[in-house]
Amino acid sequence: MDLHLADKVVVVTGGTSGIGLATAKLLVSEGARVAICGRDADRLSAAVATVDGGDRLLAAQCDVLSADAVKALRDRTLERFGQVDALVCNAGEARVGDFFTNTEQDWMDELRLKFFSYINPVRGFHDDLKRSGQGSIVCVNSTVSLQPEPHLMTSAAARGGVLNLAKSFAGAFAPFIRVNSVQLGCISSGQWHRRHARQAAEGQSYEDWLKQEAAKREIPLGRFGTAEEAADCIAFLVSPRSSYVTGARLEVSGGIIKHV
Ligand code: NDP
């Protein structure tokens, strides 16, 4: 299916690893011009080498929790590409911790990360997306937004809030900008590589550890998803092929959410 993304300009926050990087690669291969950001300069350089987007890729250092840094990202994107048609709010990570171990600061940090990783980019790019005429925002979220897990209590509470926020955006920005959420289950990415390094038994390969974690969670499809599988769904919602879809949530989880 042609996603009709040729020459569209898409900003992917957190595009230097995992799902964001796979999304950037896919969008470039579909003919889009893509701006990615992340905080770490080395990861940005490595991403530029793997995406191989030539002058259709802009990589900029930016912490999305800084409104000024997002403004600078917006200025650089417009300077290079002259327009912005879509925004993928993907930057972030989960914070493990339960109600009793998380401090007040942990709560503040997590609520700030989850909310402002949407709020700052959406504020920063809203006017450009509206001007596009086919503006689209994809909010990368998690299945814990609807099916909380005890070891991710802080994250899950924040995720539920941003699922609600994305719905509000969809109502407020229609008919000019579509806004949809993607609820990811367990997707192999940088986060899971870091967890493997911390939690796996000595000598246990990443692949064996993922199989064990998938079995523990009783994922109906029996395995973790790949970053490329998540990217396929994100790209569809970014693209004009989902032109009548807004305020929706797409579950990409191998069936992990058990309720209707
Ligand atoms: P990765 O760790 O592989 O990638 C995270 C990306 O976000 C990196 O590019 C990282 O770069 C960037 N990033 C993190 N914080 C910031 C920040 N404040 N400003 C700018 N960039 C930032 O993780 P995933 O690919 O797994 O995660 C992508 C998104 O998907 C996250 O929001 C995550 O919470 C969500 N998700 C993932 C799931 C999974 O199973 N993988 C499940 C549910 C949700 P850098 O560190 O250099 O800034």
Side-chain angles (χ1 to χ4, degrees), residues 13-21 37-41 43-44 62-66 89-94 113-114 117-118 140-144 159 182-192 194-195 224 227:
T13 68
T16 62
S17 171
I19 294 148
L21 179 59
C37 79
R39 296 162 300 178
D40 184 88
R43 272 197 287 275
L44 271 168
C62 165
D63 181 341
V64 293
L65 298 186
S66 158
C89 294
N90 165 78
E93 64 181 325
L113 173 64
K114 291 297 178 297
S117 62
Y118 287 19
V140 174
N141 203 325
S142 162
T143 51
V144 300
R159 293 288 197 192
V182 172
Q183 288 174 293
L184 302 176
C186 296
I187 308 292
S188 173
S189 71
Q191 287 198 70
W192 288 98
R194 291 194 293 277
R195 280 181 214 168
F224 273 48

Side-chain angles (χ1 to χ4, degrees), residues 95-167:
R95 212 173 291 256
V96 175
D98 69 19
F99 186 74
F100 295 103
T101 56
N102 275 5
T103 63
E104 183 174 338
Q105 193 58 49
D106 291 332
W107 277 94
M108 298 305 282
D109 290 347
E110 184 62 353
L111 293 172
R112 180 161 178 255
L113 173 64
K114 291 297 178 297
F115 279 90
F116 283 86
S117 62
Y118 287 19
I119 291 169
N120 286 338
V122 168
R123 269 202 187 132
F125 289 100
H126 170 273
D127 292 356
D128 310 303
L129 294 167
K130 187 172 177 183
R131 211 171 297 121
S132 154
Q134 287 189 315
S136 171
I137 297 173
V138 177
C139 297
V140 174
N141 203 325
S142 162
T143 51
V144 300
S145 58
L146 283 183
Q147 183 168 276
E149 291 181 29
H151 70 291
L152 290 173
M153 199 182 280
T154 330
S155 262
R159 293 288 197 192
V162 290
L163 187 63
N164 183 293
L165 181 64
K167 193 75 169 175

